[in-house]
Amino acid sequence: MKRKIIALTVSLMIAGSLVACGGNTGSKENNEEGKKETAEYAAPEKSDPNKWNFDEMQKVSYCKVLNVDEASQLLEGQTSADNDVHDYIREKYNIELEEAWTAGEVDYEQQLALHIASGDLPDLIYVNDYSLYKQLIDTQMVQPITEAFAKQCSDKLLAINEASGGEVLKTGSVDGELWGVPAGLDADQFDVLWLRKDWLEKLNMEEPKTLEELEEVLKAFTYNDPDGNGKQDTCGLAVNATNIITPQGVNYGLNQLFHNMGVYPDSWLLDEEGHVYNGSTDEKMKDALTVLNRWYTEGYIDQEFISRTGEGQVEGLISSGKVGAFYGQWWSIPRDQGVLDADWVPVAAPLNEKGKYSYMRTDTWSDCIMVNAECKNPEAAIAALAISVDIGMDVDHEGFQIACDANNGESNRNFYPYGVWTTGAGDMINITNAILEQIDTGSYTPYENIGEYDKLEIQRAAGFADGSERTPDAAWSYYGRALAYPLIKSGIGEGTTACWYWETESSPTINTILDSSFNETVLKIITGQAEVSEYDTFISQWHTLGGDTLISEIETELGIE
């Protein structure tokens, strides 16, 4: 059966509006009724001037993701549960924050499910899984926050929503009611190909556009002594063996190579007859794997990548100056001294047959903050969130400075009740435009709610561009904000929307088996431990190991007969 991917082409310019994760909460993306439901919610036009005005102390409990490595960076005497930021919020706003429980990113979803089962939930609940989000609403364990949000939201939260064309808050609404405050994520970001620009110039090579041109660049980076030390000690492409392929973006993976060869592994798509299939079972996978096997065999891919299972190991290789290319997100340039010894450029390569850069759009639902149905004062809960966002994003300059003073000069998200939940994708356009204007003209036009952090990033990026500030932080700001993000929003991308992003009843068990089989087969073929023909065996086993069960469950959810 021929397969034709149902694609959504997305061309976004910096001056245009940001497309956030699509409104897709009360029901799934292909359900038109669900789209009408989410579109009914209307966000407030402005914040209430009487917000955050509590005569008596309000206690607000919360749960969040707490990464141990980040928490360990806090100064002595500061913890995620008891810190100077909490003291500031208590003294200024009469809100007492109480950390109910935390878990790391790997364990959080499981811990949340256990707390839901026991009914033991705090006032503010960070939810990072769509099925749990839906369960909380269906079982009435959370309450609608339409009125509370209207009375206690901040100008910053509203500006973020407005920058997304209203899509951020729509993703947290069902039947016209707001049930959660979603993260302001951008569904239309993709991994770029980072190349050593100085190596290209030394070898008199142009930035590649096609797969063939990219292969020639990687070959030259491997064998033509690009670092000029007279030794054959460089390689073309750095890869992380742990995250070699994921449905959406990942640092040091190979997603973009597959996508631009017309295949979307580990993604749920519709064929031309309207039935669900998984991109990992696409016959074109073998064409892509054949190319990667050739690159590895010829030495263009890091020969030790199979042992590089952590991002830090790949970053170390990049910082050592011995690799010329890697795929990563706009912010993935290492933030260390090694970056100062190289000149990098983000490239969209290889392009597809239409001259566009194919990518898989991210989940159309993003993690969000919800309010417990038992919370006696939902307004205080929303106020706590909004105040924390203002502090964390430097709208509240006094609070932001307190946070910086308590953490070696930089704010730390573990001070705040939202943890790793993040928002502000709309601000990316503002800060990027300001940086480009500063670089081009020597000055920029301040935008509404610009914070000290924004100003610092503009200064750093422009300083690196003119050579006045040569620091790892300035390099990171310049490469990511002045080069990579504008490329992502230049209109070169062509996004594909999956028909399904979530789990089904059987997913937790079956996916573990399928993912293990997939990763093992792919790595063996790339490294030459197995013939490409072995992928046919994988496809056959994929169906019998539970793939067909998942297809049946997804088609049932989508109403496909």
Side-chain angles (χ1 to χ4, degrees), residues 57 93 272 434:
M57 187 66 66
Y93 298 106
E272 62 182 5

Side-chain angles (χ1 to χ4, degrees), residues 3 48 90-91 126 176 211 222 233 244-245 277 285 300 337 352 367 376 380 414 457 499 539 546:
R3 286 169 171 162
D48 190 324
R90 182 178 59 252
E91 293 167 7
Y126 168 67
L211 184 66
T222 304
D233 58 356
I244 192 168
I245 299 172
Y277 75 98
M285 281 290 298
Y300 310 157
Q337 287 296 131
N352 62 27
D367 51 346
K376 293 181 173 56
N414 283 306
E457 284 293 279
C499 69
I539 292 176

Side-chain angles (χ1 to χ4, degrees), residues 32 47 66 138 146 155 203 214 221 247 263 338 363 367 372 395 411 425 439-440 450 467 516 532 537 547:
E32 290 301 318
S47 65
L66 177 66
D138 293 342
T146 307
D155 290 332
L203 299 171
L214 174 55
F221 281 2
V263 61
D363 289 6
D367 51 346
N372 191 342
V395 177
S411 178
I439 291 173
D440 186 46
I450 186 172
S516 176
V532 175
T537 303

Side-chain angles (χ1 to χ4, degrees), residues 114-353:
L114 292 174
H115 281 273
I116 291 174
S118 66
D120 179 22
L121 293 170
D123 297 320
L124 281 176
I125 310 164
Y126 168 67
V127 184
N128 62 344
D129 177 76
Y130 177 81
S131 60
L132 294 180
Y133 163 86
K134 199 68 171 61
Q135 179 183 344
L136 287 168
I137 295 175
D138 293 342
T139 57
Q140 299 182 344
M141 297 183 74
V142 291
Q143 58 181 293
I145 57 173
T146 307
E147 293 185 10
F149 186 84
K151 292 180 180 180
Q152 300 298 335
C153 68
S154 63
D155 290 332
K156 188 63 174 179
L157 287 175
L158 292 180
I160 290 167
N161 183 60
E162 183 179 350
S164 74
E167 292 300 319
V168 168
L169 290 178
K170 284 181 182 179
T171 64
S173 65
V174 180
D175 293 331
E177 291 278 14
L178 186 65
W179 289 88
V181 182
L185 300 179
D186 182 357
D188 292 294
Q189 293 195 30
F190 49 75
D191 297 341
V192 299
L193 174 65
W194 289 98
L195 291 174
R196 285 286 298 264
K197 183 180 179 182
D198 50 342
W199 286 9
L200 287 173
E201 292 174 347
K202 182 179 183 299
L203 299 171
N204 294 315
M205 302 187 80
E206 299 291 330
E207 294 176 7
K209 291 183 173 61
T210 67
L211 184 66
E212 293 73 20
E213 290 172 351
L214 174 55
E215 184 167 337
E216 286 302 310
V217 166
L218 297 180
K219 179 181 179 180
F221 281 2
T222 304
Y223 293 110
N224 292 3
D225 191 24
D227 61 356
N229 68 354
K231 301 177 182 179
Q232 188 178 310
D233 58 356
T234 58
C235 68
L237 187 65
V239 179
N240 180 348
T242 302
N243 296 318
I244 192 168
I245 299 172
T246 61
Q248 289 98 39
V250 63
N251 291 336
Y252 320 127
L254 296 173
N255 294 346
Q256 296 301 142
L257 284 170
F258 284 91
H259 295 172
N260 284 282
M261 284 187 265
V263 61
Y264 295 83
D266 206 21
S267 295
W268 296 103
L269 306 158
L270 295 178
D271 62 29
E272 62 182 5
E273 297 178 4
H275 289 288
V276 173
Y277 75 98
N278 191 284
S280 296
T281 64
D282 194 317
E283 289 290 329
K284 292 192 291 292
M285 281 290 298
K286 292 187 292 185
D287 297 331
L289 289 172
T290 298
V291 171
L292 291 170
N293 170 254
R294 181 173 70 249
W295 288 4
Y296 181 81
T297 302
E298 296 293 333
Y300 310 157
I301 294 177
D302 170 28
Q303 296 295 284
E304 298 180 22
F305 91 89
I306 198 74
S307 65
R308 302 189 198 278
T309 56
E311 287 195 1
Q313 293 173 311
V314 183
E315 284 186 2
L317 176 64
I318 295 168
S319 298
S320 72
K322 296 302 180 182
V323 69
F326 68 92
Y327 283 96
Q329 300 181 59
W330 68 265
W331 46 264
S332 58
I333 282 287
R335 212 165 183 161
D336 57 30
Q337 287 296 131
V339 73
L340 301 180
D341 299 324
D343 189 8
W344 292 92
V345 61
V347 176
L351 300 178
N352 62 27
E353 58 186 12

Side-chain angles (χ1 to χ4, degrees), residues 421-438:
W421 177 88
T422 184
T423 190
D427 281 353
M428 279 296 299
I429 286 180
N430 290 331
I431 194 170
T432 298
N433 282 335
I435 286 172
L436 295 177
E437 184 181 5
Q438 177 71 29

Side-chain angles (χ1 to χ4, degrees), residues 467-493:
S468 63
E469 187 167 349
R470 299 289 296 181
T471 66
D473 284 340
W476 182 90
S477 301
Y478 171 75
Y479 285 124
R481 298 188 187 279
L483 298 186
Y485 197 75
L487 173 64
I488 290 171
K489 297 303 174 186
S490 67
I492 192 66

